[in-house]
Amino acid sequence: MPAPDDSPRRDAADAFDYAVLRVVPRVERGERVNVGVVLFCRARGFLEARCEPDERRLLALWPALDLEAVRGHLDFLRRVCAGDAACGHVAGLPQAERFGWVVSPASTIVQPSRVHAGLCADPAAALERLLAALVRPG
């Protein structure tokens, strides 16, 4: 009988956590637009944020919205997840801590949803499915 293999099967499902990134142009109105997803799968060493803001929808909620500032904020979150050293100390933290930082409640214009969980064998494919279901228009 062969010895058990301790390496994970590539087709086995692993747990992941994710949050939806939202732009809240005017907090007092409570309106928000889903613009991205951040997904963390510890077992696969995967942490990525992908953003696809629908700028037309954002401007419909608040015509004076500073889109450049929103783009910059979303890009910063994406780069923190990627571990880009140019983003400072937080980008050098372990993946789990970076994920925790990105999904921490914020009072800024870009806010994360609460954290949700799932299972997947391919975190990149799971992230793509979540973007299609939660961010992209119908």
Side-chain angles (χ1 to χ4, degrees):
M1 174 167 22
D5 184 0
D6 289 334
S7 63
R9 286 188 7 236
R10 296 321 306 166
D11 61 343
D14 290 308
F16 68 87
D17 294 311
Y18 74 95
V20 178
L21 299 175
R22 301 168 168 157
V23 171
V24 184
R26 295 172 61 189
V27 176
E28 67 276 9
R29 291 183 57 107
E31 298 167 329
R32 60 184 178 250
V33 175
N34 293 349
V35 296
V37 176
V38 57
L39 187 144
F40 173 55
C41 181
R42 183 185 310 267
R44 304 284 174 142
F46 183 93
L47 174 61
E48 186 175 337
R50 290 202 23 219
C51 300
E52 298 178 3
D54 183 334
E55 294 178 356
R56 191 182 93 259
R57 289 178 67 206
L58 291 170
L59 290 173
L61 290 177
W62 191 20
L65 180 64
D66 182 349
L67 288 174
E68 196 58 40
V70 170
R71 286 184 208 112
H73 194 114
L74 295 172
D75 186 56
F76 181 78
L77 294 176
R78 182 191 60 74
R79 291 171 44 221
V80 165
C81 288
D84 183 340
C87 292
H89 173 74
V90 70
L93 295 172
Q95 281 185 333
E97 291 180 44
R98 281 184 273 151
F99 177 73
W101 186 87
V102 169
V103 300
S104 293
S107 61
T108 65
I109 199 165
V110 175
Q111 299 179 4
S113 71
R114 67 184 181 86
V115 174
H116 305 278
L119 293 171
C120 71
D122 181 350
L127 180 56
E128 178 62 28
R129 282 191 302 275
L130 289 167
L131 276 166
L134 303 173
V135 176
R136 295 179 186 137

